[in-house]
Amino acid sequence: MIAKFWGVRGSIPCPGPTTYKYGGNTACIELRFPGTDRIVIIDAGSGIRELGNHLVANELPKGPLVADIFLTHTHWDHILGFPFFAPIYIPGTRLNIYGPVTFENDSLRNIVGGQLSYQYFPIRQSELAADISYHSLKEEKVELEDGIVITTKYLNHPIACLGYRIESNGKTFCTAYDTEPFQNLFCTDPADPTYDEGMATEGELVAREQNERLEAFIAGADLLVYDAQYTREEYEASRRGWGHTAIEDVVSLAHKLGIRSTALFHHEPVRTDDQLDELAATHCNPGQSNHSEIFFAREGMQIEL
Ligand SMILES: [Zn+2]
Ligand SMILES: [Zn+2]
């Protein structure tokens, strides 16, 4: 399996001279499976625009484009590149778009394709040339052809958000972003008037169980792409509950589980290249050969699992 990062940022595209090295596009990862023609894409952030252009230039000459797009969730930074994904305008293109929806009465077609409406964009969804099918996902297993198995797990984010575990040919690729550690949702302070001992204990158990389930979900990954938007200091100061993880927590999780290779992902948009380099010097160990490499994902980076 080969993974390529086309967008690594969180929240909003942030191109410019201070983000040149790591890249300013939002989430998009391409997966290829040598020996097959299959193209799997995780997320349609602004990075998918460049990927689309690349596919049109390099794959389209061989025949119509066929791809499976798995959206982690429908926050804007993960879908805003879709209207600029050139293959949707090319007859013969076939796309399957998978992702979670938070409310049953909302469809992926409306949320994702709805960006192509006159209020936002000069072209309407009904004018697209590609054949696009939408599939809403919960926690489940999807088997693609060519022996590719995809398992999903709900993460801890303000809306329904899925982690993906993709297995092929004995290799495992996992994503867990946008997410933060599951926490007790009930008051744990006995001095607080809303405190209820039963609820506090139950909340503790649920949080622990969910964290353990996520650990089991990512365990054994050859490459893990994990949310690392904040530093611990930023997280503790004001960002708890926003659905993102502190770099320090990802690093200890990766060590605890012995993950072979961990890409820190969904970088804070205000983070400059210099700041990411500094954080990397403190927290990362790229090129580590003892099966516990940790690095900041960079746009254009390609990794063979
Ligand atoms: Zn995001
Ligand atoms: Zn999000």
Side-chain angles (χ1 to χ4, degrees), residues 117-191:
S117 62
Y118 281 151
Q119 289 93 331
Y120 306 118
F121 205 67
I123 298 163
R124 287 176 300 174
Q125 180 163 219
S126 56
E127 297 170 55
L128 296 184
D131 175 6
I132 304 175
S133 307
Y134 290 90
H135 314 268
S136 83
L137 289 181
K138 295 180 162 52
E139 285 196 346
E140 58 190 290
K141 184 181 272 191
V142 179
E143 293 192 27
L144 300 180
E145 286 160 31
D146 304 318
I148 300 164
V149 179
I150 301 181
T151 320
T152 61
K153 159 90 184 76
Y154 282 123
L155 303 175
N156 187 22
H157 203 55
I159 63 165
C161 180
L162 290 173
Y164 289 107
R165 181 180 175 98
I166 301 177
E167 292 165 279
S168 165
N169 231 345
K171 297 289 182 184
T172 302
F173 169 87
C174 281
T175 65
Y177 64 85
D178 301 9
T179 194
E180 73 181 282
F182 289 91
Q183 285 152 37
N184 190 344
L185 298 175
F186 299 100
C187 174
T188 53
D189 176 9

Side-chain angles (χ1 to χ4, degrees), residues 1-3 31-38 146 168-169 304-305:
M1 207 182 322
I2 295 170
L31 292 176
R32 301 301 284 265
F33 305 84
T36 81
D37 295 331
R38 195 160 285 275
D146 304 318
S168 165
N169 231 345
E304 192 172 341
L305 276 67

